[in-house]
Amino acid sequence: MAGPPPMKPGWQLVAAIYPFAAGAAAVNLFFLSLILSWVGAPVLTPGLSVLGGLVLGLPAAWAFARHVRRLMARAADAPEA
C-alpha cells in the first residue's frame, strides 16, 4: 500500500513547535551524555547541550509538524458523526 503523498508541514507550524523540540532535544542530549559517561565518554556542559538541541530541534520539529499536518488532513477527510 503506497499511502498518501508526503505533505509539507508549513513554516508557521514548524516555528510553533521548534522551541519545544529544541528544548526536548537539549535535555535528551544532556542525559545521553550522562549515560555515555558510564563508558568513558565526556559529559556535555549544559551550554553545549543547548547548542546541540538548537541544531537537532529543527529536524525534530519538521518531522513532528509533518505528522501533525497528516493528522489534520485525516481529520478533515473523516465523516462527521
Side-chain angles (χ1 to χ4, degrees), residues 10-61:
W11 287 108
Q12 289 179 334
L13 187 58
V14 173
I17 294 172
Y18 176 72
F20 302 103
V27 169
N28 286 327
L29 192 59
F30 182 71
F31 284 131
L32 176 66
S33 74
L34 289 177
I35 291 171
L36 291 178
S37 71
W38 297 344
V39 294
V43 175
L44 292 176
T45 64
L48 285 176
S49 297
V50 168
L51 287 176
L54 291 174
V55 172
L56 294 175
L58 187 60

